[in-house]
Amino acid sequence: GAVVSQHPSRVICKSGTSVKIECRSLDFQATTMFWYRQFPKQSLMLMATSNEGSKATYEQGVEKDKFLINHASLTLSTLTVTSAHPEDSSFYICSANRQASTDTQYFGPGTRLTVL
Amino acid sequence: AQSVAQPEDQVNVAEGNPLTVKCTYSVSGNPYLFWYVQYPNRGLQFLLKYITGDNLVKGSYGFEAEFNKSQTSFHLKKPSALVSDSALYFCAVRDIGSNDYKLSFGAGTTVTVRA
């Protein structure tokens, strides 16, 4: 159990377009999901915390109007990169807590975004 | 405040030899501690965690870690490394007293196991 999926796994888009990334918990309900960004050979940078039915909480320095997060159900959170630019190219990873009391975050396989 | 340090960027071992990946942490209260492994272009896979109880925690793929409160450490170990253990390893911590469930990750340690 505790499987998290992401779609798409890879996406290439033109500068100025918007891209939506989906994160799903397949076999459990996730009241909290997290979105991270990872640069090559670097650690994960937390972008935002997504709670079902409420607005996401963004980390300092992350533009909430550029990185739109929606947590519509207990199994789905989406990250939309609006008006993407080449500097937004990165590896985006989501995670989900299965149970808040154990705090184990289970991670999706990641999405490689390339903006031309 | 919470943070994790992984002092080694890289660890190289021969297959069959013991593997140790170091991690020290800092939290205001008591910690939840985690180890994750990442293969190229993949997400993080959960290996093991310390929440409470026995200081020696056993996890997936033969890995274990020992929680040492006095040294604020949570080193990952495997008695006999395999070539397939070559990957990027992350230690993470969360303060039990924190209510936002955020994890703080170390910078990662690249493990290379040579045949």
Side-chain angles (χ1 to χ4, degrees):
Chain A
V3 179
V4 177
S5 70
Q6 274 184 250
H7 178 79
S9 58
R10 289 178 177 270
V11 56
I12 300 173
C13 68
K14 294 182 179 180
S15 185
T17 61
S18 294
V19 174
K20 180 185 282 187
I21 302 170
E22 292 187 350
C23 177
R24 293 181 184 272
S25 55
L26 297 184
D27 52 0
F28 65 99
Q29 293 185 332
T31 53
T32 304
M33 289 184 170
F34 302 86
W35 286 96
Y36 295 85
R37 186 173 178 176
Q38 186 181 29
F39 293 100
K41 299 187 178 182
Q42 293 190 25
S43 189
L44 280 70
M45 182 192 80
L46 180 64
M47 299 175 65
T49 303
S50 171
N51 291 295
E52 187 268 338
S54 64
K55 291 183 178 180
T57 302
Y58 290 83
E59 295 300 298
Q60 193 172 6
V62 178
E63 298 177 61
K64 61 181 179 182
D65 293 331
K66 180 167 186 63
F67 298 100
L68 300 179
I69 291 173
N70 182 273
H71 196 152
S73 75
L74 289 172
T75 60
L76 173 63
S77 176
T78 60
L79 167 68
T80 301
V81 182
T82 63
S83 187
H85 291 285
E87 58 265 30
D88 298 324
S89 298
S90 192
F91 194 54
Y92 293 87
I93 309 175
C94 72
S95 71
N97 273 6
R98 180 166 60 178
Q99 291 178 346
S101 61
T102 61
D103 290 316
T104 300
Q105 287 186 27
Y106 295 92
F107 286 80
T111 297
R112 173 73 60 192
L113 170 63
T114 302
V115 185
L116 303 177
Chain B
Q2 56 191 38
S3 66
V4 169
Q6 292 180 243
E8 300 160 317
D9 291 336
Q10 287 196 335
V11 170
N12 299 307
V13 298
E15 188 172 35
N17 282 2
L19 169 63
T20 298
V21 187
K22 296 180 180 178
C23 169
T24 58
Y25 67 90
S26 176
V27 293
S28 302
N30 292 313
Y32 287 155
L33 291 156
F34 303 83
W35 275 102
Y36 290 89
V37 59
Q38 184 180 33
Y39 295 96
N41 296 309
R42 301 295 301 275
L44 276 65
Q45 294 180 27
F46 169 72
L47 280 179
L48 51 80
K49 65 183 177 185
Y50 172 81
I51 301 296
T52 186
D54 290 340
N55 291 340
L56 183 63
V57 178
K58 295 187 182 297
S60 305
Y61 312 119
F63 284 95
E64 60 186 30
E66 186 165 11
F67 171 62
N68 187 317
K69 189 171 183 177
S70 63
Q71 297 185 3
T72 62
S73 67
F74 191 57
H75 301 330
L76 181 70
K77 298 181 180 182
K78 186 170 184 178
S80 179
L82 300 172
V83 172
S84 57
D85 293 327
S86 299
L88 181 57
Y89 290 78
F90 290 103
C91 181
V93 69
R94 177 170 108 69
D95 192 322
I96 292 176
S98 170
N99 60 4
D100 61 13
Y101 305 120
K102 296 178 187 177
L103 292 178
S104 294
F105 286 86
T109 299
T110 299
V111 171
T112 302
V113 182
R114 60 185 184 276

